[in-house]
Protein backbone atom coordinates (compact mmCIF):
# COMPACT_ATOMS: atom_id res chain seq x y z
CA UNK A 1 0.00 0.00 0.00
CA UNK A 2 1.44 3.38 -1.05
CA UNK A 3 2.47 5.58 1.87
CA UNK A 4 4.63 8.65 2.46
CA UNK A 5 6.50 6.41 4.94
CA UNK A 6 8.20 4.84 1.91
CA UNK A 7 10.08 8.11 1.37
CA UNK A 8 11.68 7.86 4.81
CA UNK A 9 15.08 6.45 3.65
CA UNK A 10 15.68 9.47 1.40
CA UNK A 11 14.67 11.83 4.20
CA UNK A 12 17.07 10.07 6.56
CA UNK A 13 19.96 10.45 4.12
CA UNK A 14 19.44 14.22 4.16
CA UNK A 15 19.49 14.26 7.96
CA UNK A 16 22.50 11.97 8.45
CA UNK A 17 25.15 14.76 8.79
CA UNK A 18 23.01 16.49 11.45
CA UNK A 19 22.49 13.20 13.30
CA UNK A 20 26.25 12.66 13.39
CA UNK A 21 26.77 16.11 14.93
CA UNK A 22 24.04 15.51 17.52
CA UNK A 23 25.65 12.21 18.50
CA UNK A 24 29.07 13.86 18.77
CA UNK A 25 27.53 16.45 21.11
CA UNK A 26 26.11 13.75 23.39
CA UNK A 27 22.46 13.98 22.34
CA UNK A 28 20.50 10.76 22.89
CA UNK A 29 17.61 9.24 20.98
CA UNK A 30 15.38 9.33 24.07
CA UNK A 31 15.99 13.05 24.53
CA UNK A 32 14.86 13.73 20.97
CA UNK A 33 11.81 11.49 21.40
CA UNK A 34 10.68 13.25 24.57
CA UNK A 35 11.38 16.67 23.05
CA UNK A 36 9.13 15.90 20.06
CA UNK A 37 6.35 14.68 22.34
CA UNK A 38 6.51 17.62 24.75
CA UNK A 39 6.62 20.28 22.03
CA UNK A 40 3.71 18.60 20.21
CA UNK A 41 1.68 18.74 23.41
CA UNK A 42 2.56 22.40 23.96
CA UNK A 43 1.68 23.33 20.37
CA UNK A 44 -1.64 21.53 20.69
CA UNK A 45 -2.44 23.26 23.99
CA UNK A 46 -1.51 26.66 22.58
CA UNK A 47 -3.79 26.24 19.58
CA UNK A 48 -6.61 24.82 21.70
CA UNK A 49 -6.35 27.71 24.14
CA UNK A 50 -6.67 30.31 21.39
CA UNK A 51 -8.61 28.35 18.76
CA UNK A 52 -10.65 31.41 17.83
CA UNK A 53 -7.48 32.79 16.23
CA UNK A 54 -7.45 30.48 13.23
CA UNK A 55 -4.08 31.71 12.00
CA UNK A 56 -2.52 29.73 14.85
CA UNK A 57 -3.36 26.53 12.97
CA UNK A 58 -0.43 27.42 10.70
CA UNK A 59 1.75 26.16 13.58
CA UNK A 60 0.57 22.60 12.89
CA UNK A 61 2.14 22.11 9.43
CA UNK A 62 5.28 23.95 10.50
CA UNK A 63 5.65 21.75 13.57
CA UNK A 64 4.67 18.61 11.64
CA UNK A 65 7.71 19.09 9.37
CA UNK A 66 10.03 19.53 12.34
CA UNK A 67 8.41 16.65 14.19
CA UNK A 68 8.94 14.30 11.24
CA UNK A 69 12.60 15.31 11.21
CA UNK A 70 12.91 14.68 14.95
CA UNK A 71 11.20 11.29 14.60
CA UNK A 72 13.68 10.32 11.91
CA UNK A 73 16.60 11.61 13.98
CA UNK A 74 15.68 9.66 17.12
CA UNK A 75 15.34 6.48 15.09
CA UNK A 76 18.72 6.97 13.42
CA UNK A 77 20.42 7.73 16.74
CA UNK A 78 18.92 4.56 18.19
CA UNK A 79 19.71 2.22 15.29
CA UNK A 80 22.95 3.59 13.92
CA UNK A 81 24.64 4.66 17.16
CA UNK A 82 23.70 1.82 19.48
CA UNK A 83 21.13 3.73 21.54
CA UNK A 84 18.25 1.28 21.23
CA UNK A 85 16.64 0.44 24.56
CA UNK A 86 13.43 -0.94 26.03
CA UNK A 87 12.70 2.48 27.54
CA UNK A 88 13.23 4.04 24.12
CA UNK A 89 10.70 1.67 22.57
CA UNK A 90 8.09 2.69 25.15
CA UNK A 91 8.86 6.38 24.76
CA UNK A 92 8.73 6.22 20.98
CA UNK A 93 5.26 4.69 20.82
CA UNK A 94 3.76 6.62 23.74
CA UNK A 95 5.07 10.02 22.64
CA UNK A 96 3.79 9.41 19.11
CA UNK A 97 0.19 8.77 20.16
CA UNK A 98 0.26 11.65 22.65
CA UNK A 99 1.61 13.99 19.98
CA UNK A 100 -0.95 12.81 17.43
CA UNK A 101 -3.84 13.38 19.83
CA UNK A 102 -2.55 16.80 20.87
CA UNK A 103 -2.33 17.97 17.25
CA UNK A 104 -5.64 16.49 16.05
CA UNK A 105 -8.02 17.49 18.87
CA UNK A 106 -7.70 21.30 18.40
CA UNK A 107 -9.57 20.96 15.09
CA UNK A 108 -12.70 20.20 17.14
CA UNK A 109 -12.56 23.72 18.59
CA UNK A 110 -12.90 25.44 15.21
CA UNK A 111 -16.34 27.11 15.15
CA UNK A 112 -18.82 24.95 13.28
CA UNK A 113 -16.67 21.80 13.15
CA UNK A 114 -18.36 18.60 14.29
CA UNK A 115 -16.78 16.93 17.31
CA UNK A 116 -17.55 13.37 16.21
CA UNK A 117 -15.21 13.01 13.19
CA UNK A 118 -12.35 14.71 15.04
CA UNK A 119 -12.69 12.33 17.98
CA UNK A 120 -13.01 9.41 15.58
CA UNK A 121 -9.78 10.37 13.82
CA UNK A 122 -8.02 10.76 17.17
CA UNK A 123 -9.13 7.33 18.39
CA UNK A 124 -8.49 5.54 15.10
CA UNK A 125 -5.01 7.06 14.92
CA UNK A 126 -4.27 5.52 18.32
CA UNK A 127 -5.87 2.19 17.37
CA UNK A 128 -4.02 1.94 14.06
CA UNK A 129 -0.69 2.55 15.78
CA UNK A 130 -1.60 -0.04 18.40
CA UNK A 131 -2.35 -2.51 15.62
CA UNK A 132 1.10 -1.84 14.22
CA UNK A 133 2.75 -2.35 17.61
CA UNK A 134 1.00 -5.71 18.04
CA UNK A 135 2.92 -7.18 15.10
CA UNK A 136 5.90 -8.38 17.17
CA UNK A 137 3.52 -10.03 19.66
CA UNK A 138 2.49 -12.57 17.00
CA UNK A 139 5.97 -12.99 15.53
CA UNK A 140 5.73 -10.36 12.79
CA UNK A 141 7.48 -7.00 12.51
CA UNK A 142 6.21 -3.65 13.74
CA UNK A 143 3.73 -2.79 10.96
CA UNK A 144 3.76 0.63 9.27
CA UNK A 145 1.34 -0.15 6.45
CA UNK A 146 -0.79 2.63 4.92
CA UNK A 147 -2.72 4.19 3.46
CA UNK A 148 -2.97 6.51 6.49
CA UNK A 149 0.17 5.99 8.52
CA UNK A 150 1.81 8.59 10.74
CA UNK A 151 3.57 10.43 7.91
CA UNK A 152 0.42 10.42 5.78
CA UNK A 153 -1.63 11.84 8.65
CA UNK A 154 0.95 14.54 9.21
CA UNK A 155 0.76 15.56 5.55
CA UNK A 156 -3.04 15.59 5.31
CA UNK A 157 -3.61 17.35 8.63
CA UNK A 158 -0.82 19.81 7.91
CA UNK A 159 -2.41 20.81 4.59
CA UNK A 160 -5.82 21.01 6.26
CA UNK A 161 -4.49 23.18 9.08
CA UNK A 162 -2.78 25.54 6.66
CA UNK A 163 -6.00 25.83 4.66
CA UNK A 164 -7.83 26.75 7.87
CA UNK A 165 -5.15 29.26 8.89
CA UNK A 166 -5.29 31.00 5.51
CA UNK A 167 -9.08 31.10 5.51
CA UNK A 168 -9.33 28.87 2.44
CA UNK A 169 -11.09 25.98 4.19
CA UNK A 170 -14.11 26.36 6.45
CA UNK A 171 -15.72 24.07 8.99
CA UNK A 172 -17.52 22.08 6.29
CA UNK A 173 -14.23 21.17 4.62
CA UNK A 174 -12.71 20.19 7.95
CA UNK A 175 -15.61 17.81 8.59
CA UNK A 176 -15.32 16.24 5.14
CA UNK A 177 -11.56 15.73 5.44
CA UNK A 178 -11.87 14.31 8.95
CA UNK A 179 -14.48 11.77 7.85
CA UNK A 180 -12.25 10.78 4.93
CA UNK A 181 -9.20 10.43 7.18
CA UNK A 182 -11.26 8.36 9.64
CA UNK A 183 -12.29 5.98 6.85
CA UNK A 184 -8.69 5.62 5.67
CA UNK A 185 -7.51 5.05 9.24
CA UNK A 186 -10.08 2.28 9.67
CA UNK A 187 -8.74 0.65 6.51
CA UNK A 188 -5.16 1.17 7.73
CA UNK A 189 -5.99 -0.60 10.99
CA UNK A 190 -7.45 -3.57 9.11
CA UNK A 191 -4.55 -3.57 6.66
CA UNK A 192 -1.95 -3.66 9.44
CA UNK A 193 -3.66 -6.60 11.11
CA UNK A 194 -3.97 -8.41 7.78
CA UNK A 195 -0.37 -7.76 6.74
CA UNK A 196 0.91 -8.74 10.18
CA UNK A 197 -0.93 -12.06 10.00
CA UNK A 198 0.29 -12.58 6.44
CA UNK A 199 3.91 -11.93 7.47
CA UNK A 200 3.67 -14.24 10.47
CA UNK A 201 2.14 -16.98 8.33
CA UNK A 202 4.96 -16.67 5.79
CA UNK A 203 7.48 -17.10 8.61
CA UNK A 204 5.62 -19.96 10.32
CA UNK A 205 3.31 -21.49 7.66
CA UNK A 206 2.39 -24.39 9.92
CA UNK A 207 1.11 -22.11 12.72
Amino acid sequence: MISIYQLKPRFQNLLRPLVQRLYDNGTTANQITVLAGVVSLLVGLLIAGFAQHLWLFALIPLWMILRMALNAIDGMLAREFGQQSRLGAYLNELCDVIADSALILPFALIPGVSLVPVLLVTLLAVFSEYAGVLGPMIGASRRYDGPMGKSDRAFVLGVLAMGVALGWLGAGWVDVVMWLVAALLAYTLINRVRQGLKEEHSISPSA
Side-chain angles (χ1 to χ4, degrees), residues 73-84:
I73 288 170
D74 71 4
M76 293 169 71
L77 283 170
R79 290 188 304 273
E80 299 178 14
F81 294 92
Q83 295 184 1
Q84 290 179 314

Side-chain angles (χ1 to χ4, degrees), residues 25-193:
N25 291 332
T27 304
T28 68
N30 287 351
Q31 288 172 345
I32 298 295
T33 301
V34 172
L35 174 64
V38 169
V39 175
S40 294
L41 186 58
L42 293 176
V43 169
L45 289 172
L46 174 63
I47 297 171
F50 301 94
Q52 69 273 20
H53 301 292
L54 296 182
W55 63 268
L56 279 173
F57 280 82
L59 293 175
I60 291 180
L62 296 176
W63 172 242
M64 287 287 195
I65 294 171
L66 292 174
R67 181 189 164 205
M68 288 174 64
L70 291 174
N71 284 341
I73 288 170
D74 71 4
M76 293 169 71
L77 283 170
R79 290 188 304 273
E80 299 178 14
F81 294 92
Q83 295 184 1
Q84 290 179 314
S85 66
R86 291 182 175 87
L87 175 60
Y90 273 109
L91 290 175
N92 189 58
E93 298 297 343
L94 289 172
C95 287
D96 271 350
V97 295
I98 291 171
D100 273 352
S101 299
L103 296 173
I104 295 170
L105 287 172
F107 283 95
L109 299 177
I110 297 173
V113 169
S114 174
L115 177 63
V116 174
V118 177
L119 288 179
L120 195 57
V121 167
T122 304
L123 290 173
L124 286 171
V126 174
F127 296 159
S128 65
E129 292 308 310
Y130 188 58
V133 171
L134 287 175
M137 292 185 64
I138 65 165
S141 62
R142 202 301 190 186
R143 302 304 309 181
Y144 295 97
D145 309 275
M148 193 50 63
K150 180 171 63 177
S151 300
D152 308 290
R153 291 195 301 276
F155 176 77
V156 172
L157 295 175
V159 170
L160 179 62
M162 185 58 74
V164 169
L166 295 174
W168 295 349
L169 301 176
W173 276 104
V174 175
D175 285 345
V176 169
V177 172
M178 286 294 176
W179 281 116
L180 178 60
V181 171
L184 291 172
L185 278 169
Y187 182 79
T188 298
L189 191 160
I190 294 169
N191 193 37
R192 289 184 176 184
V193 172

